Amino acid sequence: MITNKSLQKLGISKRLCHTWVGMKQRCNYKKHKDYHRYGGRGIKVYKDWENSLEIFAQYIGEPPHPSYVMDRIDNDKNYEPGNIHWVTQSENARNTSRNKIFLWKGKKRTLMEISEKTGINYITLWTRLFKNKMDLNTAISFKRKRIFATFYDKKMSLKEISKKTGIPYLRLWYRFTVQRKQDLTPSQ
């Protein structure tokens, strides 16, 4: 059993100890809530680390900042030398087997990274790719056509009509595209 006193003696923080215990539980304890993502997929802990917190601590060291978490560089490989490091929470969230990885501009990137680099909303990109079945380049380069309708005998964009009337854009879009109303002038 590891006590606070033994951790102090070894110069190891509780945080690093919790990281070590969590890593072992995810890989070995079938009742752990995330076992299916680790041990259930065959991910193992390097034998020397499995048996010794001290050896594990010597390899990885303390996190450089309290907000850092341990991360496996390649999610399909084990917790082993050369495959773990400390990263920020946001970096860790991008390195998960649940992420879809795309080859974009010669590099493997997550959809969130592509969203940030292009300035296109993440949900917009996701919808274009997975709901509208566009390929990545089409999803990025896609430009929505401005929709025009008649409003008081004048051709205007739905965005302009929305600003003038205070009617939400999506309601106007629905009337124009689904109900097929070409003239959006209110009826008397």
Side-chain angles (χ1 to χ4, degrees), residues 3-12:
T3 64
N4 286 340
K5 207 171 197 174
S6 62
L7 287 176
Q8 270 183 332
K9 199 173 185 181
L10 294 170
I12 296 172

Side-chain angles (χ1 to χ4, degrees), residues 1-61:
M1 173 109 175
I2 299 171
T3 64
N4 286 340
K5 207 171 197 174
S6 62
L7 287 176
Q8 270 183 332
K9 199 173 185 181
L10 294 170
I12 296 172
S13 68
K14 279 186 191 179
R15 175 115 191 289
L16 184 56
C17 180
H18 287 286
T19 299
W20 177 70
V21 170
M23 166 184 72
K24 293 184 355 166
Q25 286 181 343
R26 288 188 299 274
C27 292
N28 301 326
Y29 183 58
K30 290 181 180 172
K31 291 185 179 179
H32 189 280
K33 67 181 179 71
D34 292 324
Y35 177 81
H36 65 284
R37 290 194 185 114
Y38 296 86
R41 289 194 315 124
I43 304 300
K44 296 184 180 348
V45 177
Y46 178 62
K47 220 170 208 41
D48 289 351
W49 297 349
E50 179 78 42
N51 302 319
S52 172
L53 169 59
E54 208 170 348
I55 294 172
F56 173 73
Q58 285 171 355
Y59 179 82
I60 194 163

Side-chain angles (χ1 to χ4, degrees), residues 36-38 41 72 75-76 92-101:
H36 65 284
R37 290 194 185 114
Y38 296 86
R41 289 194 315 124
R72 280 177 299 127
N75 277 325
D76 293 324
N92 183 256
R94 291 178 180 167
N95 186 22
T96 169
S97 59
R98 290 173 285 176
N99 270 337
K100 299 276 188 231
I101 305 296

